[in-house]
Amino acid sequence: MNQPFPDLVIDTARTRLTLGVSADGLLVQKGYGAIGGDPRAPREGDEQARQLDFYPTYGDGYLGEPALMVTHADGDTATRLTVSGVKTAAAADGDPNVALTEIELRDPLQPLTVTLCLRAYHDEDVLQIWTRIRNGADRAVTLHRYASAAPAWRADAYHLAQCCGAYANEANIVSERLTPGLKVLGSNLLTRAARMRAPMFLLGLDAAADGETGEVVIGGLQWPGSFQFGFDVDSTGNLRIVSGAHRVGGDYALAAGQTLETPLTLWLFSADGAGAATRALHRWARRYAVRQPELPRPVLLNNWEATGMQFDEARLEGLFEDAKGIGFDTFLLDDGWFGNKHQRDDARRGLGDWEVAGRKLPRGLGHLCEEAERRGFNFGIWLEPEMISPASELYEQHPDWALGAPGRAPVLGRWQMVLDLANPAVADFVWQVIDRTLRPHPVKYVKWDANSCVYQPGSRWLGAGRQGNLDFDYNTALLAVMRRMAREFPQIPGMLCAGGGGRADYAALANFTSFWLSDNTDPLRRVFIQWGFSYFFPPETQSAHVTRMGHRPLKFAVDVALAGALGFDLDISRVTPEDRAFFRQTIALYQRDLRPVTSGGEYYRLVSPYAGPRAATLSVTPARDRAVLFVYQTADAAAGAAAGAVVPLRGLDAAKTYTVSEVSLPDGLAPRLPAHGTRLTGAELLAGGLTVPLTRQCDSAVVLL
């Protein structure tokens, strides 16, 4: 057939994706790279066919990792998608920065339609790509693969960096050079799916993805459930990245007439290194992906390290009184406030029974809200609405609401099970938990936790033929509840938590103001955790609490937390007068001088903790009139090295003059920076950096410019 469509060019400020239609009607990729630069177009090889397909399908000649694999209602396992229409539109809200392109693809022999959706954010160079798959048959079809996107590039080498780890050891940056074949990164945990790796990655084309030079791609999936990235390097040297939700537990049964909309993937191409890519992604997130970016993140005081679940009304009111006057914005009551028949005194009972524990809190949540507000701060609450304890009234009444395998002993995580949100009745129950907790009480903050993944998938609601739908349907329902909470309670900010960083994704985070990075709050480890997450998430989204874990110097713990969304999790009743004064001074400094810079500032990674015994980062306001430098000594400096330890600076305005001030200094500690109190031009600072003479492990400095 003759080519019915001209090339389709999708431009952002600095990048261009070019798609075409082959002579036989297939959608092909002609390039995705910098405008005016190398288009990074994939090659067609002699041994393999269809390497240029933008959304390759199984059973139609493509030999690599397919994006779509279907068994049709009549048993046909081949799928061929030809272009049947292209539609472009501006953003529904009239935002001139956003443009949507929809490409309709149809199978000529089967009643299957795939709409490939591409949303371009011009100024930030971000593309979102996803699909809508519609079954037009009168019977169900089986989706074995249903990726959201599968773009391809050509380079001489591919350097992949992932953000991975484990519980209490999150966000390690691990890099490798890809070799020919298929490399798969993913998760099959169903809930808190990012526990072992964030659904984000960084890819360097030709050279390693780091610093401020080189061509890099940031990719990610906006999805809280199981996911998979397949990095397929073929014999021609092309790399295709097949990205989407992971089909845990089986294939998806797509009913007659049903449309499945896959999760959004994120793509950001930068010709100016990982630093520029990070800053562009942060700008996009603040503008489009994070809830209430303009809201100053409140300074929290959490009771967990002080009391655990062992508290009562008098103990909490005592903490309120001890916290008075320090400057906290919100007191956050953590786990243990609910349950009567099965009172929540430890992690083995009570989840699902979301009534206030009458013996602990006889006057209820309203009384606590009033008592906190009387002392000058708001009151927040912890919830884990997706979970159920076998020792609970809810389980006694609805054992079928828990995910598991009928007839087999339950496999528990943290002595609990996961509720089946694929069941609409259960999803409604979860919403009612939130509504009944927040609507009658003047609660001003929510921490939404999820402390178990799914160890034993199985839904009695879905039945024998649809078990493969569980992961997708669960997380679709979960996001619907989260969105409803954000919509109906816009005045209540919240923290997204999943036993640490198990939900570090932009689909869930869209409904929260920050996320909990890790249950490991040792500030020495947190330097690395915050560094890893910084590639993908702005500082103000990273909840960073001062604790005594690791028994590090208190100033070091405070300085590490100041770089994120500041909070405190310690027994305030045991704090010395000197430390109280330091906290009061620090919170005022954060609220007045630091938070306005780190929240909304351009972020620079200056010295990597992976490269030596210190880490340094810088946040600069968009006007470049203020900046905050954080320097952390992660190991002892070599003898004689500290005095000449120069931190390079970036992002300043060469024409401006800056006053250098070392801040976050407890009473009695003099500034150590030789430049403290001086005025230097941006040109001088950019050329010579700043000497920061730290010597011992856990020394730290915060510098205001």
Side-chain angles (χ1 to χ4, degrees):
M1 59 180 289
N2 294 323
Q3 180 171 319
F5 301 105
D7 283 353
L8 179 62
V9 177
I10 299 175
D11 280 351
T12 63
R14 287 160 288 273
T15 67
R16 170 167 293 165
L17 171 65
T18 304
L19 304 175
V21 181
S22 67
D24 52 355
L26 303 173
L27 184 68
V28 296
Q29 180 177 336
K30 294 189 172 183
Y32 183 13
I35 292 176
D38 187 340
R40 296 291 182 178
R43 304 183 186 93
E44 186 87 69
D46 295 331
E47 297 180 0
Q48 292 178 289
R50 307 283 297 280
Q51 286 148 296
L52 304 185
D53 283 14
F54 190 58
Y55 192 73
T57 59
Y58 176 81
D60 191 48
Y62 180 69
L63 300 179
E65 186 75 0
L68 183 68
M69 183 176 180
V70 183
T71 296
H72 298 278
D74 61 0
D76 182 7
T77 59
T79 300
R80 181 179 181 83
L81 295 177
T82 58
V83 178
S84 60
V86 177
K87 180 172 65 176
T88 59
D93 61 0
D95 185 345
N97 189 52
V98 183
L100 176 66
T101 301
E102 296 186 350
I103 305 169
E104 187 179 84
L105 309 169
R106 291 181 178 271
D107 189 307
L109 295 181
Q110 296 288 351
L112 184 79
T113 303
V114 175
T115 302
L116 192 62
C117 306
L118 303 96
R119 183 183 289 125
Y121 297 86
H122 180 270
D123 295 348
E124 298 80 15
D125 295 316
V126 169
L127 287 179
Q128 285 174 326
I129 306 176
W130 73 101
T131 60
R132 291 194 294 268
I133 304 168
R134 185 178 186 278
N135 175 21
D138 57 5
R139 287 176 290 163
V141 301
T142 302
L143 303 182
H144 309 285
R145 301 282 180 87
Y146 44 95
S148 298
W153 286 271
R154 177 211 22 92
D156 293 330
Y158 305 100
H159 298 265
L160 173 66
Q162 59 168 306
C163 190
C164 64
Y167 173 74
N169 186 28
E170 292 86 349
N172 298 282
I173 297 297
V174 176
S175 302
E176 63 185 300
R177 180 169 174 171
L178 294 176
T179 58
L182 179 63
K183 166 82 175 185
V184 176
L185 299 179
S187 167
N188 62 355
L189 305 184
L190 199 150
T191 61
R192 58 182 294 192
R195 172 183 171 184
M196 297 176 186
R197 62 183 45 82
M200 310 285 286
F201 61 86
L202 191 69
L203 179 75
L205 302 180
D206 294 334
D210 206 359
E212 302 291 333
T213 59
E215 294 193 332
V216 304
V217 176
I218 286 181
L221 186 69
Q222 294 181 244
W223 181 243
S226 303
F227 60 90
Q228 192 171 96
F229 303 121
F231 300 86
D232 192 2
V233 180
D234 67 22
S235 60
T236 308
N238 300 324
L239 168 65
R240 184 180 301 279
I241 307 177
V242 183
S243 304
H246 184 26
R247 49 184 241 337
V248 175
D251 303 318
Y252 195 93
L254 188 65
Q258 183 180 358
T259 298
L260 183 144
E261 184 161 322
T262 64
L264 280 63
T265 57
L266 289 174
W267 305 94
L268 192 156
F269 186 97
S270 169
D272 299 308
T278 285
R279 291 186 289 277
L281 186 63
H282 288 186
R283 290 193 294 273
W284 170 82
R286 288 162 172 155
R287 192 171 177 182
Y288 296 106
V290 176
R291 183 182 169 195
Q292 297 171 301
E294 75 290 343
L295 179 73
R297 273 41 182 168
V299 179
L300 304 177
L301 174 62
N302 194 315
N303 71 297
W304 181 254
E305 296 297 330
T307 68
M309 300 184 198
Q310 306 306 311
F311 57 80
D312 58 18
E313 209 169 73
R315 177 71 168 116
L316 295 179
E317 289 183 26
L319 292 175
F320 293 168
E321 190 65 25
D322 291 324
K324 185 171 63 175
I326 296 178
F328 301 111
D329 295 309
T330 300
F331 183 96
L332 175 59
L333 177 60
D334 215 292
D335 195 355
W337 58 268
F338 51 90
N340 285 299
K341 180 179 178 182
H342 301 276
Q343 183 171 285
R344 180 75 166 173
D345 290 329
D346 57 52
R348 298 174 183 268
R349 68 198 79 249
L351 284 174
D353 300 346
W354 296 99
E355 307 90 5
V356 174
R359 284 171 287 175
K360 286 184 177 182
L361 307 174
R363 287 179 283 186
L365 296 182
H367 172 74
L368 293 178
C369 293
E370 293 170 2
E371 290 299 305
E373 291 174 2
R374 190 165 66 83
R375 292 166 174 88
F377 37 81
N378 294 320
F379 181 81
I381 197 74
W382 178 95
L383 289 169
E384 196 178 12
E386 304 156 73
M387 303 294 167
I388 184 171
S389 300
S392 67
E393 291 185 80
L394 182 65
Y395 191 76
E396 292 165 2
Q397 296 163 7
H398 295 287
D400 57 310
W401 282 12
L403 293 175
R408 299 181 186 272
V411 180
L412 307 181
R414 199 179 180 247
W415 303 287
Q416 63 194 54
M417 303 168 74
V418 181
L419 287 170
D420 182 5
L421 267 72
N423 181 340
V426 177
D428 182 66
F429 168 81
V430 169
W431 166 250
Q432 293 301 325
V433 168
I434 296 163
D435 193 61
R436 288 196 308 268
T437 304
L438 302 185
R439 200 173 299 278
H441 308 110
V443 172
K444 299 294 177 63
Y445 195 90
V446 170
K447 177 183 176 183
W448 181 320
D449 211 340
N451 280 302
S452 181
C453 51
V454 178
Y455 292 93
Q456 196 179 55
S459 166
R460 296 184 219 191
W461 164 260
L462 288 172
R466 295 192 297 152
Q467 290 301 309
N469 294 28
L470 175 58
D471 190 309
F472 194 92
D473 290 357
Y474 178 101
N475 285 286
T476 300
L478 170 69
L479 289 174
V481 175
M482 288 180 169
R483 283 191 291 267
R484 185 174 179 183
M485 182 186 72
R487 183 177 66 249
E488 296 204 18
F489 299 102
Q491 78 284 7
I492 302 178
M495 181 196 302
L496 181 66
C497 184
R503 279 189 175 144
D505 76 275
Y506 274 117
L509 187 57
N511 308 291
F512 295 84
T513 50
S514 66
F515 72 100
W516 186 240
L517 283 65
S518 176
D519 280 353
N520 187 340
T521 56
D522 178 346
L524 192 58
R525 178 66 194 123
R526 278 285 180 132
V527 169
F528 291 85
I529 292 173
Q530 290 171 201
W531 180 275
F533 279 129
S534 77
Y535 282 90
F536 311 113
F537 301 100
E540 67 270 23
T541 66
Q542 301 182 32
S543 291
H545 286 197
V546 178
T547 78
R548 304 309 297 140
M549 184 179 286
H551 304 289
R552 311 299 180 184
L554 189 59
K555 172 177 163 51
F556 183 75
V558 168
D559 288 354
V560 171
L562 284 171
L566 177 65
F568 291 76
D569 197 338
L570 39 73
D571 189 346
I572 202 69
S573 67
R574 300 169 65 89
V575 170
T576 67
E578 294 77 16
D579 289 343
R580 287 176 63 89
F582 180 45
F583 292 166
R584 186 182 303 111
Q585 167 194 328
T586 296
I587 292 171
L589 169 74
Y590 174 77
Q591 294 168 332
R592 181 187 63 244
D593 295 326
L594 305 187
R595 185 170 61 187
V597 180
T598 57
S599 299
E602 298 280 284
Y603 187 85
Y604 292 83
R605 287 178 294 272
L606 304 177
V607 180
S608 170
Y610 289 94
R614 70 166 39 177
T617 66
L618 183 79
S619 289
V620 187
T621 60
R624 303 194 181 195
D625 59 345
R626 286 175 294 162
V628 182
L629 171 67
F630 297 95
V631 185
Y632 309 119
Q633 198 71 24
T634 57
D636 290 347
V646 175
V647 175
L649 299 178
R650 300 191 187 103
L652 303 176
D653 187 332
K656 285 184 167 64
T657 300
Y658 297 87
T659 300
V660 180
S661 302
E662 185 177 357
V663 295
S664 186
L665 296 169
D667 289 343
L669 180 62
R672 293 153 297 176
L673 264 68
H676 173 76
T678 64
R679 289 173 59 78
L680 298 170
T681 66
E684 291 173 312
L685 290 165
L686 291 169
L690 271 179
T691 298
V692 185
L694 305 182
T695 305
R696 301 180 66 83
Q697 184 185 60
C698 296
D699 278 352
S700 58
V702 180
V703 184
L704 186 62
L705 303 176

